[in-house]
């Protein structure tokens, strides 16, 4: 289904793939990719160098992130939004916390849109990425979003998901700074068989690329004869999931199908043809034969942990036993997982089916699901099902076409546009429940369970078509390719009347006299200190898992209701992975504050004495070690919560994503790495002394010798901090992005 070709190729005239070319070098021909055409046009330096400084055309945020972004930008001198900035309310419209927290943030967002000239999309009108597809994208443009799934390449618009600090930079007319990326040709051939959907292709792509990291921080460029065989919703469904490969962004060739998208959305002027030049070079290639694609299931606890549904049906005991063993390794005796119990008479039964969000709730997905379930019933046993159309225009379309009726009559509960099932704020399954979902992720705890309290449910990703087939079969996991159905629904008809009624579009119409409306939970950032000459770190968390997700660094779900209160939110940092982290970090921070006042604790004094350092010029902060941290969400709170608790650094072998590393930098957390052949054998409570770190950062060095003060003595440790721009170095030295801008104003 998916073949990874890990060497460079040339694409000639958009049709012929060859390994060598006599006319252009790889560097010359790479400029002829769609990717470089767009990136170079957005590079403020206007050169063809190896560094790019990008300004975006528009930005997107949702209600987990926009309050913090605006608060940070306001503290840094924001006067008016310089580009279209849409704020959707699709993440915290249903969080079950109680009180006024959610709506307080929404009112703040509307007041900010009025004051600074923004676009405000009220709760339940659209999930963030569907609103972008419907109203914000343009061929050849670039959109920056404070959500990791900011991907609109299938519509000819490059999307990038980053932490809030990078959006703040754009609001202050600064740039997104990157190394000129490698480009991967994703070559589509063939046509999908009936019953195969976009999630099947996407899961196969993630399976083929994630673990090896082969496309990390590269741009995926989709082309080939198979593109024309895919409707827009199918393309969007694959494209949104490219985030899970850890690529930097994505872009597709555009054609009549894309042109039709812009026409029905009443924006024909925003379409233009995008295609590679006559000779384009790609650093590697992925070939996908759509005709051989099978119905897939991505098992807990990652979208890459995938098998075909037929493989699961052939060996359910062996496959589910491996998941149980994995859960045991992750959670120990905290939970008791019984996945094998889902097998009855050789068949695997799910407890729940969900079709939702930016990947699942499309018109085409709901239409196919409705066709499969028409005249059938999901039954009255333990299996339940819900569907969330991804916007009010989609909801109106499926209602007018009778799709909603088909689904409701079968027993599916229809819900409003909402991202909750993707991150644990809606439809949390019962303990030991198996949920099959057409959503973006199935990381541990992301569905809302709490292993620390003995609660664990499990999520597997499947396409909407196979979820519907499973629902029609009473919860028995079934591939849609194995059922007979006929989809007679009409093509999608877009109607934007509801947006015209409800969306506030204030871009270019800032009203600076408007007062921001604050709720009691919206708080300013606490004081953050500049970097001192030396750095003493105490390991408050040591995690040896292969990958540590953003959701483990700061849990999603109900905790995100405190996203506008840095102190309260920080109480949840690493709570589902290292429960003692918050208490340890607070104690370390307390000792540093005392040191600054001249009261050096015995703990700090002993560490300083061991390496002959002075308390006056040596900070004392907490540190997290993880093998590969930061996979998943773009939420900056994964880093900012560490900073609020006195965190000064991360140490790892590599960062899972650029966006998490950027978040660390923007919050003044030094992104240290160590060599891959070095065994990190140190434990929670050990300390790392980094002498001369401020001078090393500011002078442009990229590595430094440190010392680890462990229980058995002092050990050497060589640390790297490579690929930092001049501004990033100054941000680290100043202590955070806000301090950096405050210093610049003086």
């Amino acid at each position: 289904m998916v073949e990874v070709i890990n060497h460079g190729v040339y694409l000639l005239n958009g049709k012929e793939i060859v390994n060598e070319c006599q006319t252009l070098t790889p560097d010359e021909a790479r400029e002829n990719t769609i990717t470089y055409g767009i990136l170079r046009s957005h590079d403020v330096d206007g050169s063809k160098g190896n560094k790019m400084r990008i300004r975006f055309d528009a930005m997107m945020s949702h209600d987990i992130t926009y309050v913090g972004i605006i608060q940070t930008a306001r503290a840094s001198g924001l006067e008016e939004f310089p580009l279209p900035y849409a704020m959707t309310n699709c993440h915290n419209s249903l969080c079950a916390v109680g009180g006024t927290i959610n709506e307080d943030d929404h009112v703040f967002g509307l007041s900010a849109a009025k004051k600074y000239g923004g676009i405000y999309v009220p709760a339940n009108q659209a999930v963030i990425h569907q609103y972008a597809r419907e109203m914000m994208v343009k061929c050849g443009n670039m959109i920056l979003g404070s959500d990791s799934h900011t991907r609109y390449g299938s519509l000819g618009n490059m999307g990038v998901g980053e932490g809030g600090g990078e959006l703040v930079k754009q609001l202050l007319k600064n740039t997104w700074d990157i190394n000129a990326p490698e480009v991967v040709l994703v070559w589509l051939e063939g046509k999908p068989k009936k019953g195969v959907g976009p999630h099947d292709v996407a899961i196969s792509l993630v399976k083929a690329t994630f673990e090896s990291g082969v496309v990390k921080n590269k741009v995926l460029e989709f082309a080939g004869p198979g593109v024309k065989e895919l409707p827009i919703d199918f393309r969007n469904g694959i494209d949104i999931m490219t985030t899970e490969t850890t690529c930097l962004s994505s872009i597709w060739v555009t054609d009549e199908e894309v042109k039709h998208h812009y026409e029905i959305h009443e924006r024909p002027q925003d379409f233009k043809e995008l295609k590679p030049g006559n000779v384009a070079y790609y650093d590697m290639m992925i070939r996908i034969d759509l005709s051989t694609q099978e119905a897939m299931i991505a098992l807990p606890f990652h979208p890459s942990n995938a098998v075909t549904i037929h493989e699961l049906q052939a060996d359910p005991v062996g496959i589910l036993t491996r998941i149980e063993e994995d859960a045991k390794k992750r959670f120990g005796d905290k939970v008791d997982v019984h996945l094998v119990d889902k097998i009855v008479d050789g068949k695997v039964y799910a407890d729940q089916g969900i079709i939702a969000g930016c990947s699942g709730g499309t018109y085409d997905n709901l239409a196919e699901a409705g066709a499969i379930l028409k005249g059938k019933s999901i039954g009255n046993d333990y299996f339940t099902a819900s569907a969330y159309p991804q916007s009010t225009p989609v909801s109106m379309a499926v209602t007018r076409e009778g799709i909603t009726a088909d689904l409701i009559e079968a027993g599916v509960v229809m819900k409003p546009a909402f991202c909750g099932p993707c991150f644990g704020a809606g439809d949390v399954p019962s303990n030991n429940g198996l949920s099959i979902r057409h959503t973006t992720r199935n990381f541990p705890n992301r569905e809302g369970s709490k292993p620390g309290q003995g609660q664990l449910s499990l999520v597997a990703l499947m396409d909407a078509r196979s979820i519907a087939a499973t629902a029609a079969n009473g919860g028995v996991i079934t591939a849609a390719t194995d059922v007979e159905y006929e989809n007679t629904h009409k093509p999608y008809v877009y109607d934007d009347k509801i947006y015209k009624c409800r969306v506030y579009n204030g871009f270019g119409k800032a009203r600076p006299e408007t007062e921001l409306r604050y709720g009691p939970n919206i708080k300013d950032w606490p004081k953050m200190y500049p970097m001192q000459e030396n750095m003493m770190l105490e390991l408050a968390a040591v995690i040896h898992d292969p990958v540590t997700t953003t959701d483990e660094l700061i849990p999603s779900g109900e905790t995100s209701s405190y996203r506008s209160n840095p102190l309260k939110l920080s109480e949840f940092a690493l709570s589902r992975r290292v429960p003692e982290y918050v208490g340890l970090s607070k104690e370390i921070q307390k000792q540093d504050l005392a040191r600054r006042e001249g009261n050096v604790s015995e703990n700090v004094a002993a560490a300083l004495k061991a390496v002959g350092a002075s308390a006056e010029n040596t900070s004392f902060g907490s540190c997290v070690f993880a093998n590969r941290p930061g996979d998943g969400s773009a939420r900056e709170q994964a880093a900012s919560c560490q900073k609020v608790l006195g965190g000064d650094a991360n140490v790892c072998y590599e960062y899972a994503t650029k966006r998490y590393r950027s978040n660390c930098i923007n919050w003044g957390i030094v992104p240290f790495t160590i060599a891959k052949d070095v065994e990190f054998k140190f434990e929670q409570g050990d300390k790392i002394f980094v002498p001369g770190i401020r001078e090393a950062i500011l002078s442009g060095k990229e590595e430094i010798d440190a010392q680890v003060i462990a229980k058995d003595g002092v050990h050497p440790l060589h640390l790297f901090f490579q690929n930092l721009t001049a501004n990033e170095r100054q941000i680290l030295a100043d202590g955070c992005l806000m301090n950096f801008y405050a210093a610049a104003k003086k």
Side-chain angles (χ1 to χ4, degrees), residues 573-591:
L574 281 159
S575 58
R576 295 181 187 170
R577 186 61 187 82
V578 186
E580 66 274 20
Y581 169 79
V582 171
L584 290 172
S585 293
K586 283 184 173 181
E587 179 57 32
I588 295 166
Q589 186 179 45
K590 179 181 176 182
Q591 292 179 65

Side-chain angles (χ1 to χ4, degrees), residues 538-580:
E538 182 169 326
L539 291 167
V542 177
I543 305 171
H544 290 290
D545 296 348
V547 178
T548 302
T549 69
T550 308
D551 289 284
E552 291 173 303
L553 293 167
I554 183 64
S556 55
E558 82 282 6
T559 62
S560 62
S561 286
Y562 297 107
R563 69 247 165 219
S564 305
N565 189 327
L567 293 175
K568 279 193 176 180
L569 184 62
S570 68
E571 294 285 339
F572 296 96
L574 281 159
S575 58
R576 295 181 187 170
R577 186 61 187 82
V578 186
E580 66 274 20

Side-chain angles (χ1 to χ4, degrees), residues 461-481:
L461 302 183
M462 285 169 50
D463 188 82
R465 293 150 187 78
S466 292
I467 292 173
T470 298
N473 203 8
V476 176
I477 291 181
T478 305
T481 51

